[in-house]
Amino acid sequence: MTRVVVVGVLGRMGQAIVQRISKETGLQLAGGVVERGALGPGKPLSAFMPPPPGGEGLCLLDDLGKCLTDTPTDVVIDFTAPTCTAVHAALCAQAGVGLVVGTTGLGEAEREALKAAAARIPVLWAPNMSIGIQVLGLAVQEMARRLGEGWDIEVLEIHHKRKKDAPSGTALKLAEDAAKALGLGAQHFCTQRSGMIGERPAKEIGLQSLRGGEVIGEHTVYFLGEGERLELRHCAQSREQFAQGALRAARWLHAKPAGFYGMGDVLS
Ligand code: NAD
């Protein structure tokens, strides 16, 4: 049995994970952590959401450190914000508990903090936990390789109006997949175009973001050639597949040796 603590448990992804966990075998919800100051400590989960089966009486805390001291935990799942990633990674490393991070918009400092924790505990970070997106990434690599440099690559993503980072972590990952196949780096990424920008540089990989409504997440990778065009598209129709992926990752990570992992490791 893998005992899971969900950080950001009242957020959109936190709620999706809590609702999904009861449908999974071998996983148990051990606790939930909310943003500091969001509530008085010790309130029952049922005060905020219908308790999942087996989750009755479960306590919410606003302190991951205290939660890990009080609650026997195997893996922490964190879908929150980049501002708390480094602190949460250090707390998990100190407690010797595995960490699955789905938060996007991480900068260099946060990634380094995850890697530092990964020297002591297993850490998995994936900007998108869905299986479809993992396969899309492989397809993008293959297509970029086969089509070669004569084709212009653009990544378009659409998300709901409350999303805080742009471009999405998934769009960046897809651009990285294409770049990797072509031997290019992030210096070829273009996230803004406006005014007299001149002709498109040959090796540029464009990333465009639309925001609005309730769109859960759509990503399209365009390969634009002379007289023809290819499009690869992924549309998330619910948060269920992200939650399923995060829980699959948590089950996989439990008892793995210290190291820095991605969803590709889980699926392979
Ligand atoms: P959300 O705003 O609905 O939820 C985030 C929650 O985290 C909020 O409830 C907030 O109060 C809480 N939080 C913030 N700081 C905290 C802290 N220090 N301690 C505890 N809780 C804290 O956002 P969301 O849609 O659930 O997305 C969360 C993150 O996950 C975003 O970065 C988003 O881009 C990412 N995301 C990743 C995937 C994936 O598959 N990897 C899928 C969807 C969303």
Side-chain angles (χ1 to χ4, degrees):
M1 184 63 74
T2 304
R3 296 160 298 182
V4 174
V5 161
V6 178
V7 191
V9 72
L10 296 182
R12 281 175 287 266
M13 277 308 302
Q15 297 251 343
I17 290 166
V18 166
Q19 294 310 317
R20 176 75 212 177
I21 203 165
S22 59
K23 298 179 191 152
E24 298 279 331
T25 50
L27 291 170
Q28 183 197 332
L29 185 62
V33 178
V34 300
E35 198 165 354
R36 190 172 284 276
L39 52 101
K43 285 196 181 174
L45 191 65
S46 56
F48 296 90
M49 64 175 102
E56 295 86 356
L58 197 80
C59 276
L60 283 178
L61 293 171
D62 63 358
D63 181 339
L64 176 60
K66 180 165 169 42
C67 183
L68 293 177
T69 310
D70 292 357
T71 315
T73 306
D74 298 305
V75 178
V76 166
I77 300 181
D78 185 334
F79 281 75
T80 53
T83 45
C84 52
T85 304
V87 173
H88 292 172
L91 288 170
C92 288
Q94 201 180 335
V97 165
L99 174 63
V100 171
V101 179
T103 307
T104 61
L106 303 191
E108 202 53 45
E110 290 82 35
R111 290 183 197 217
E112 285 308 316
L114 290 181
K115 286 180 188 158
R120 294 172 63 187
I121 53 167
V123 175
L124 184 146
W125 176 63
N128 195 307
M129 303 270 177
S130 92
I131 291 173
I133 281 289
Q134 311 312 314
V135 175
L136 177 62
L138 296 174
V140 166
Q141 285 183 37
E142 180 68 13
M143 279 178 65
R145 207 169 6 250
R146 283 179 181 262
L147 294 171
E149 281 185 8
W151 293 64
D152 299 324
I153 301 174
E154 295 280 320
V155 183
L156 174 69
E157 53 105 344
I158 315 177
H159 280 87
H160 56 89
K161 59 188 169 195
R162 289 175 201 86
K163 183 163 178 63
K164 297 185 180 74
D165 55 314
S168 71
T170 306
L172 283 166
K173 172 71 171 54
L174 292 169
E176 282 164 14
D177 286 332
K180 187 171 144 191
L182 294 171
L184 303 175
Q187 73 274 17
H188 293 97
F189 294 179
C190 173
T191 54
Q192 286 187 339
R193 291 193 186 108
S194 173
M196 290 294 293
I197 58 168
E199 287 187 13
R200 187 187 197 283
K203 293 179 179 174
E204 189 167 272
I205 296 178
L207 294 106
Q208 312 298 326
S209 303
L210 305 188
R211 293 287 176 270
E214 296 293 321
V215 182
I216 290 174
E218 293 186 15
H219 293 85
T220 308
V221 183
Y222 295 88
F223 293 85
L224 302 132
E226 299 290 335
E228 56 185 334
R229 178 170 98 208
L230 288 158
E231 297 177 14
L232 288 174
R233 177 171 301 152
H234 178 272
C235 300
Q237 278 149 3
S238 79
R239 292 186 173 81
E240 180 90 359
Q241 76 285 351
F242 303 136
Q244 239 176 304
L247 291 168
R248 182 170 173 174
R251 199 189 291 110
W252 181 88
L253 202 70
H254 182 192
K256 279 279 175 305
F260 194 52
Y261 302 100
M263 276 309 274
D265 297 307
V266 179
L267 300 177
S268 65

